[in-house]
Amino acid sequence: MPLHPELETTWQPIRARIRDELTDYAFHIWVEPLEPAARAGGTLFLRAPRHLRGWVQDRYGTLLRDAARRAVPDLTSVELVDEDWTPPAADEAPAPIAGDSDRLNPKYT
């Protein structure tokens, strides 16, 4: 599936920064399979194959975040998601956390 132009514009400079930090082998094995899935506010969502996701998050999560912040200053986080993940609709509000409404004072909501 072709990338949305905004995602391509966001992802390419981040990839370039990461490529400068890793060996060709590490980049090819761990970063090349990542694909941008969506961008919501300051978060870039990257699709990662299930067998790589945990390793990449543990080993390269900080590098991904730092490269994203340097390449695109308004990005504050990078989230790795699975291949089946779909971004929420832009107008969809986040679901409330169960039990939160019981603790909130109604006059402050």
Side-chain angles (χ1 to χ4, degrees):
M1 170 171 41
L3 291 178
H4 186 280
E6 180 184 341
L7 288 176
E8 182 74 28
T9 301
T10 300
W11 180 231
Q12 288 310 315
I14 296 168
R15 275 177 52 108
R17 287 185 180 272
I18 294 168
R19 188 160 187 72
D20 290 344
E21 298 288 326
L22 298 177
T23 65
D24 287 342
Y25 178 78
F27 182 84
H28 175 71
I29 296 296
W30 304 112
V31 178
E32 207 167 79
L34 305 179
E35 297 177 355
R39 181 176 174 186
T43 302
L44 177 64
F45 296 92
L46 298 174
R47 259 191 201 91
R50 188 173 320 278
H51 66 282
L52 298 180
R53 196 169 44 254
W55 174 261
V56 170
Q57 181 63 48
D58 293 345
R59 180 82 174 178
Y60 299 116
T62 301
L63 176 62
L64 286 167
R65 216 172 18 261
D66 291 346
R69 287 182 186 145
R70 287 191 321 253
V72 185
D74 63 333
L75 282 179
T76 56
S77 66
V78 175
E79 298 285 332
L80 297 178
V81 296
D82 69 27
E83 292 129 339
D84 299 327
W85 180 86
T86 56
D91 60 347
E92 192 175 295
I97 298 171
D100 270 0
S101 61
D102 298 335
R103 296 183 303 207
L104 298 176
N105 184 331
K107 74 179 187 180
Y108 294 115
T109 60

